[in-house]
Amino acid sequence: MSDTLPRIFFNEVVTRDGFQIEPQFVPTDAKVALVDELSRCGYAKIEVTSFTSAKAIPMLRDAEEVMGRIARVTGVEYAVLVPNVRGAERALESRADELNLVMSTSETHNLANLRMPREKSFASLADVIALVGKRAAVNVSLSTCFGCPMEGDVPQDEVLRWAHRFAEQGVRGLTICDTTGMGHPAQVARMAQALRERFGGLQLTFHFHNTRGMGLANVLAAVQAGITRFDGSLGGLGGCPYAPGASGNICSEDAIHMLQAMGYDTGVDLSRLLPAARRLPELVGHPVPGQVAKAGRSADLHPVPPGVDELRRSFA
């Protein structure tokens, strides 16, 4: 790798963001085994599960058991999503390294997704931040930063306003989410520059969806604008229920493969990660969007077709 290229860090979200909308419950044993496998692949962070009510997200009703059984690897942070103080209390008991809090920068999306206005969400999350104190890191994920499917454009200044309010609360990091895949590379570059100028001291992560096929282009635009942390989901699983036709999050192995092919160090061992990606369709019971697991890495060579060597000699 060139010394001039920055290290890129990936947060794997498949067992939380990916599994939470699956129609069939993924068994606890399978979740634990997958997290353990991902832990050995070189990820910087894994968002393992969500401490929400079992009624709200039944697919993650085994959060305590999963967190209690995973084999934690030194150097990997284990994050969980929490919606409120009760979820934070459960997460702290589970020894989560980071608590990820979520609200939307779009009022309509926040009402649809979280059933409350943004100001009420902010007050609730401020209570969580106060409760956590120094016992764990806190990250806030801001949804619909690149557009809302119900309101349309979300002004960049509105995103920066909410980012500033949470920065004042003392959070460690902010994740800027293209929740419904409406962003494009030029918009991403502008957002990345503005955030780095104002919040360069925070851990900034970008979270893209591939709803309109621009996921990897947006990753590249963000990298070129100086962003070094990204969420990704194995196989491209996940998605938002308010984005009709959504294909899911950016595919971790596809994004990692792209950046490594360009010379970036992601810390992730694709030779370990791809077998996990190839087993994912059997685990969830349907095909997944990821491409590299199907086609192989661009550096993987294939046997020469029969007759080619003979043709080569005939033209020598």
Side-chain angles (χ1 to χ4, degrees):
M1 188 191 101
S2 168
D3 291 338
T4 63
L5 297 179
R7 165 70 189 273
I8 305 297
F9 300 88
F10 269 85
N11 173 30
E12 178 57 61
V13 302
V14 65
T15 55
R16 197 283 297 173
D17 200 348
F19 287 172
Q20 72 175 12
I21 65 169
E22 283 298 308
Q24 300 297 323
F25 182 76
V26 177
T28 303
D29 287 349
K31 288 173 182 162
V32 172
L34 180 56
V35 172
D36 288 350
E37 190 171 13
L38 295 170
S39 292
R40 296 188 293 270
C41 290
Y43 279 102
K45 188 186 300 181
I46 299 172
E47 190 172 72
V48 178
T49 188
S50 175
F51 283 95
T52 52
S53 73
K55 183 178 180 181
I57 304 182
M59 300 304 166
L60 302 181
R61 60 182 181 267
D62 53 359
E64 274 90 355
E65 185 176 357
V66 171
M67 285 295 289
R69 289 176 52 192
I70 58 174
R72 304 187 186 214
V73 171
T74 301
V76 181
E77 287 192 336
Y78 296 91
V80 297
L81 185 143
V82 300
N84 49 37
V85 166
R86 177 57 191 138
E89 291 170 344
R90 294 169 59 199
L92 291 171
E93 290 170 3
S94 80
R95 299 185 299 112
D97 297 312
E98 178 184 87
L99 276 60
N100 185 27
L101 319 180
V102 177
M103 68 163 284
S104 180
T105 56
S106 155
E107 182 77 358
T108 304
H109 188 271
N110 207 70
L111 286 165
N113 194 43
L114 300 178
R115 316 302 296 176
M116 65 181 77
R118 290 176 300 174
E119 286 297 339
K120 187 170 181 179
S121 282
F122 178 81
S124 175
L125 298 184
D127 289 342
V128 172
I129 295 167
L131 169 75
V132 174
K134 301 296 183 182
R135 289 184 285 175
V138 174
N139 181 82
V140 173
S141 291
L142 294 173
S143 302
T144 63
C145 290
F146 297 93
C148 169
M150 294 159 280
E151 290 185 9
D153 290 340
V154 173
Q156 180 174 287
D157 285 347
E158 186 70 356
V159 176
L160 297 175
R161 182 174 76 87
W162 285 105
H164 177 72
R165 292 185 69 178
F166 281 110
E168 287 188 319
Q169 294 289 315
V171 301
R172 180 180 71 167
L174 294 168
T175 298
I176 307 303
C177 304
D178 186 16
T179 312
T180 57
M182 296 172 68
H184 58 77
Q187 183 186 15
V188 168
R190 290 192 297 269
M191 183 76 75
Q193 180 180 355
L195 286 160
R196 291 186 67 225
E197 288 174 355
R198 292 163 176 79
F199 310 107
L202 296 184
Q203 194 178 92
L204 297 174
T205 302
F206 274 37
H207 176 112
F208 295 116
H209 287 229
N210 200 41
T211 310
R212 292 168 178 83
M214 288 190 278
L216 292 191
N218 286 337
V219 169
L220 183 56
V223 168
Q224 292 174 338
I227 299 299
T228 59
R229 293 181 178 272
F230 296 90
D231 286 350
S233 182
L234 193 71
L237 287 185
C240 175
Y242 305 106
S247 59
N249 296 311
I250 61 161
C251 174
S252 298
E253 63 270 23
D254 290 1
I256 290 165
H257 173 265
M258 176 187 74
L259 292 171
Q260 289 184 357
M262 295 175 67
Y264 289 92
D265 176 12
T266 68
V268 176
D269 184 347
L270 273 175
S271 67
R272 283 180 174 264
L273 185 61
L274 287 176
R278 288 171 178 140
R279 289 190 292 272
L280 195 57
E282 182 179 357
L283 181 60
V284 297
H286 60 79
V288 300
Q291 292 298 307
V292 176
K294 301 167 188 170
R297 294 170 293 187
S298 56
D300 293 340
L301 301 182
H302 298 273
V304 176
V308 169
D309 286 338
E310 184 178 345
L311 280 170
R312 194 193 317 275
R313 286 191 296 270
S314 72
F315 285 101

